[in-house]
Amino acid sequence: MVASVAIVTDGILTGEYTVNHKKTHSQTLLPMLDDLVTMVGLDLSEIDAIAVAGGPGSFTGLRIGSATAKGLGLALDKPIVSVPTVDALAYNLYGAEGLICPMMDARRQQVYTGLYHFEGSEMVTDLAQTPMEIGKIADRINAEGKPVTLLGDGVPVYLDRLKELLTVPYRIAPPHVNRQRAAAVGALGELYYREGKIQTAAEHTPDYLRLSQAEREYAEKLATGKKDGK
């Protein structure tokens, strides 16, 4: 649902444009970027790099985001910084105490999720982003035995089950930080850029984490064919 663009300049959020509304990102992303660039008076040739949420996420949304980043990177001759989407979602809660558990609805009773905590200014990954059944991530959170903050669009979808399953104290992040934000992608992107974690525009590909529905159905068809001796 979320389409978001931001400009981060030397540790300062210069501008951000975020919309959480059911519209195709191909209709919104470039106009949003154009509006933001115009508003702050930025010449895109002046930027150092382009950070993009590299996945997981909806297949269409990821392709649009990556294609836009690649196109800009090629046109401007700028590097790409691919930021894991779940990591960036967790980074919204910079400095929070206890565990941070982003949950993006992945359908089929699954979420794209991970577990994080902060040690001073460093975000530590306890469980790298992965697709997981809601019961399994609840078990993992309980095993950690620490209070947890939940965020992401998967939380309201599975909140009733989480209330039943979680045995540790939990809270839900407030509205201004409980969805994807380009500001967090840009902030992490700035850190990664300084660390040399960059790609060329030609090298960048999105990280889907699991097969698309069409690929899953094709694999199931092949498996069924082999089973039947066809």
Side-chain angles (χ1 to χ4, degrees):
M1 292 281 284
V2 177
S4 185
V5 294
I7 299 166
V8 177
T9 309
D10 298 328
I12 297 171
L13 178 61
T14 312
E16 182 181 23
Y17 192 158
T18 299
V19 176
N20 183 19
H21 187 67
K22 196 169 185 178
K23 273 196 172 183
T24 306
H25 291 182
S26 60
Q27 296 175 308
T28 58
L29 190 57
L30 284 175
M32 288 166 62
L33 177 61
D34 186 56
D35 284 350
L36 183 58
V37 168
T38 300
M39 182 68 70
V40 301
L42 175 70
D43 184 340
L44 282 176
S45 65
E46 299 172 357
I47 65 174
D48 295 307
I50 300 162
V52 62
S58 73
F59 284 74
T60 301
L62 286 179
R63 290 187 182 109
I64 293 168
S66 287
T68 302
K70 287 168 72 75
L72 289 170
L74 288 168
L76 299 169
D77 193 23
K78 302 294 181 180
I80 304 292
V81 183
S82 184
V83 178
T85 307
V86 180
D87 291 19
L89 190 51
Y91 204 67
N92 282 348
L93 302 184
Y94 178 90
E97 295 183 359
L99 286 177
I100 300 168
C101 182
M103 294 183 180
M104 297 167 55
D105 184 18
R107 310 287 177 87
R108 306 176 77 204
Q109 295 297 307
Q110 286 190 332
V111 288
Y112 294 121
T113 188
L115 288 175
Y116 308 82
H117 73 275
F118 278 89
E119 293 180 0
S121 61
E122 181 183 359
M123 188 172 75
V124 179
T125 301
D126 300 302
L127 172 66
Q129 62 176 27
T130 183
M132 188 174 283
E133 197 274 330
I134 195 69
K136 291 184 178 180
I137 186 60
D139 288 344
R140 177 62 187 266
I141 293 170
N142 291 336
E144 294 286 336
K146 301 173 184 176
V148 62
T149 303
L150 308 173
L151 71 160
D153 62 14
V155 175
V157 175
Y158 299 106
L159 186 56
D160 288 342
R161 286 203 65 197
L162 290 167
K163 287 178 178 178
E164 295 174 0
L165 295 169
L166 291 177
T167 59
V168 299
Y170 68 90
R171 60 184 179 181
I172 299 171
H176 63 295
V177 288
N178 69 12
R179 294 292 188 273
Q180 295 90 338
R181 289 186 59 183
V185 175
L188 272 179
E190 190 175 48
L191 291 177
Y192 293 170
Y193 177 76
R194 291 173 180 169
E195 295 170 359
K197 298 178 181 178
I198 60 175
Q199 305 170 313
T200 65
E203 290 171 333
H204 173 70
T205 56
D207 184 4
Y208 298 111
L209 284 191
R210 72 179 191 186
L211 298 176
S212 68
Q213 181 177 347
E215 290 170 320
R216 289 195 304 270
E217 290 175 353
Y218 180 67
E220 289 168 3
K221 185 177 179 181
L222 287 179
T224 301
K226 288 180 181 178
K227 197 174 184 181
D228 295 340
K230 296 177 181 178

